[in-house]
Amino acid sequence: LSQDKLEALFDRFMNGSSIFNDREVLRHDFIPENLPHRENEILKLGAILAPALRGAKCSNVFIYGKTGTGKTAVTKYVLNRLSKTSDRISKCLRICYINCRVAGTEYRVLSKMCASVNISIPFTGLATAEVFSRLRCGIDASNQLFIAVLDEVDKLVKDYGDEVLYELTRANEELKRGRVSILGISNDLYFKELLDPRVLSSLSEEEIVFKPYAADQIRDILSQRVKVAFHKEAISEAVINLCAALAAAEHGDARRALDLIRVAGEVAERKGAKRVLEEHVREAQKKIEYDRVYDVLSSLPLHSKILLCALYDYEKISNQGVTTGDLYEIYHKLCNMIGAEALTHRRVSGLLAELDMLGIVNANIANLGRYGRTKKIRLTVPQKILQNTYSEDPRMVELLGYCPKIVK
Ligand SMILES: Nc1ncnc2c1ncn2[C@@H]1O[C@H](COP(=O)(O)OP(=O)(O)OP(=O)(O)O)[C@@H](O)[C@H]1O
Ligand SMILES: [Mg+2]
C-alpha cells in the first residue's frame, strides 16, 4: 500500500464526502488544462493573436456563439498561453480582460482599462473623452500592444451604447508608440445590430463562431472533469451519458451539463448514497429547472406578476386557455384588490408578449368561428412553482386565492 493511497483515504475520511473528490473543478470559472473539441477555435484565435508576440497590432476579433459553448474558457486559455510566451520572449504585450456584465458600468470598464496601464482615475466624474485621452497616454507610455478583451460586451453596449468600442477602434489613429487591438465576446446574436456600421466592421475584422456542443462532445467534456471532481466509484458512464444527453437536447450548453452533474452529486450526497444514480440526475434536472423558473418569476415587474396570478386563477377553473379579453378582466379585478392601477389593454398585450418570449406563457391564435380569431393563453410553467414563488410575496398571496366568475 503506497503512502499516497493511505493519504487519500485519510483525506476522504476528513472531508467526509463519499461522492466528491474535488468539487472546485466543477465551478463555472475553472479553466481545465485542455479543452476537448475546441482545438480549431483555439488554433484560429491563436493564429489571429500571434503577431502580438512581436508587438505588432493583431486584427480585432469578434467571438460569438450561444451560452456555454466555451467562448470565455477558450479565450482565457489562449490569452494565458500568449502572455506566458510573451513574458518569456518579448514583454511587448499587455492584456486587459474585462467581463462587462461583472464590471457593471461603462465607467468601471474604462477605469479597469486605465488601471491595467497604471493610470488611476477617480471613482467617478471624468467624461469619457477625458478618460480616453488618459488611457491613450498610458498605452503610449507603455510602448506596448494593448489588447482590450471585452467579454459579454453586449451588456455594455445595451446599457451605454457603443462609444467605448468606437473610441477603442479609433485609438490607433492617435497613438504614437503603443497600439490597441480589441477582442469582443458575445452570446447575443442580435448584438451586431446595435453597433454603428463602422464600429461593427472594425470590430469584426475577424470572427469566430462557437457552435453548440453535440451530446458526444459534452460527454467528453464531462468525462474529463468528472475524473477529478468525483471519486471513481461514485460515478458511472451511464450517469455521464444521461447528463450529456439532457444538456445537448437543450442548447448544447456545457455549463448546463456541468451544473447538472454537480447538482446530481449533491442530491446523491444528501441522500447518503454511495454513488450517483440516474434518478439523482433526473431530480437534479428538476431542481435546476425549478430554480431557473423561480428566479425568472420572482424578478418580474409587479404587473407581470399580477397578470400571471390572473392566469393562474383562471387555470384553477379551466384548462381551455383564456382569451386576452377574459384575462384582462381578471387582471383588472386583481389590480383593484391590491389597489394597483390597472394598465391599458395595449400595455398588457406587451407584457404578455414578453412573458411568451421568456417561455412562461404560450399564446396561440385560436379560431372562434363567427366571433373571429383571438389568442388563447396558457401557462407553460408548472402551477405549483408559480404558487410557491408568489406565496412568498405578501402582496400576491391574496391574489392567488381569487376565484374568477367568467366562464362562458
Ligand atoms: N471544450 C471544453 N472543455 C472543457 N470545459 C469546457 C469546454 N467548453 C466549455 N467548458 C466549460 O463549460 C462552462 C461554460 O463555458 P464558458 O464559460 O466558456 O461558456 P461561454 O461560451 O463563455 O458562455 P456565456 O456566453 O454564457 O458566457 C465552463 O465551466 C467551461 O470551463
Ligand atoms: Mg462567457
Side-chain angles (χ1 to χ4, degrees), residues 87-367:
D87 287 350
R88 212 172 54 232
I89 58 168
S90 54
K91 296 203 176 19
C92 50
L93 178 60
R94 189 156 308 200
I95 298 168
C96 176
Y97 172 91
I98 301 171
N99 181 309
C100 300
R101 179 179 48 80
V102 175
T105 67
E106 181 183 68
Y107 200 80
R108 263 187 249 143
V109 169
L110 290 170
S111 67
K112 272 173 173 275
M113 285 198 270
C114 287
S116 76
V117 287
N118 307 326
I119 302 276
S120 65
I121 59 167
F123 284 124
T124 56
L126 295 185
T128 313
E130 171 61 22
V131 179
F132 259 101
S133 107
R134 296 190 191 186
L135 179 63
R136 279 193 300 265
C137 284
I139 295 172
D140 253 341
S142 75
N143 198 6
Q144 287 174 316
L145 171 69
F146 181 76
I147 304 186
V149 185
L150 299 174
D151 200 349
E152 306 195 32
V153 63
D154 48 302
K155 303 287 187 306
L156 176 71
V157 173
K158 267 179 213 147
D159 292 344
Y160 297 94
D162 59 6
E163 190 181 359
V164 168
L165 286 174
Y166 178 73
E167 291 285 349
L168 282 173
T169 53
R170 285 197 24 197
N172 288 314
E173 294 164 19
E174 296 187 30
L175 287 170
K176 293 178 192 70
R177 293 189 301 276
R179 319 230 44 52
V180 174
S181 294
I182 314 166
L183 197 163
I185 306 174
S186 170
N187 61 23
D188 179 348
L189 307 184
Y190 298 106
F191 159 70
K192 288 179 172 183
E193 292 167 13
L194 301 175
L195 296 178
D196 179 295
R198 281 172 302 174
V199 174
L200 177 60
S201 75
S202 173
L203 175 63
S204 45
E205 282 172 341
E206 297 278 353
E207 281 189 351
I208 308 179
V209 183
F210 282 56
K211 297 217 177 70
Y213 292 112
D216 56 341
Q217 297 179 322
I218 294 192
R219 190 193 55 218
D220 293 341
I221 293 170
L222 282 180
S223 300
Q224 180 207 40
R225 293 283 257 276
V226 155
K227 273 188 202 131
V228 188
F230 289 86
H231 293 305
K232 197 158 170 278
E233 324 76 65
I235 202 93
S236 66
E237 285 280 308
V239 161
I240 296 175
N241 289 344
L242 179 59
C243 289
L246 289 173
E250 233 159 291
H251 310 289
D253 175 346
R255 186 184 296 118
R256 183 70 190 239
L258 288 163
D259 282 344
L260 194 54
I261 210 155
R262 190 196 74 242
V263 175
E266 288 164 359
V267 169
E269 198 170 46
R270 241 195 334 273
K271 298 200 161 169
K274 288 265 176 300
R275 41 187 311 176
V276 185
L277 304 174
E278 293 184 30
E279 65 189 64
H280 300 144
V281 176
R282 305 254 177 224
E283 197 172 323
Q285 167 96 336
K286 280 202 202 112
K287 184 172 167 355
I288 290 172
E289 181 58 17
Y290 185 99
D291 290 349
R292 189 189 74 82
V293 175
Y294 179 93
D295 287 345
V296 175
L297 289 181
S298 52
S299 60
L300 289 171
L302 177 67
H303 282 272
S304 302
K305 286 183 179 175
I306 301 177
L307 204 51
L308 285 175
C309 287
L311 188 52
Y312 170 87
D313 291 337
Y314 181 87
E315 295 202 346
K316 282 190 297 199
I317 54 170
S318 160
N319 57 9
Q320 298 297 303
V322 61
T323 62
T324 329
D326 285 351
L327 182 63
Y328 187 81
E329 269 183 51
I330 306 175
Y331 159 79
H332 204 274
K333 196 101 191 174
L334 298 189
C335 285
N336 286 342
M337 282 169 69
I338 57 168
E341 192 171 337
L343 302 174
T344 59
H345 274 280
R346 225 187 131 92
R347 291 280 303 284
V348 166
S349 300
L351 293 182
L352 277 174
E354 276 170 28
L355 293 171
D356 194 347
M357 285 231 303
L358 287 169
I360 301 173
V361 307
N362 179 317
N364 275 334
I365 304 282
N367 208 331

Side-chain angles (χ1 to χ4, degrees), residues 28 30 35-36 67-73 187 213 221 225 254-255:
H28 291 164
F30 178 84
L35 297 163
T67 188
T69 50
K71 301 180 298 297
T72 300
N187 61 23
Y213 292 112
I221 293 170
R225 293 283 257 276
R255 186 184 296 118

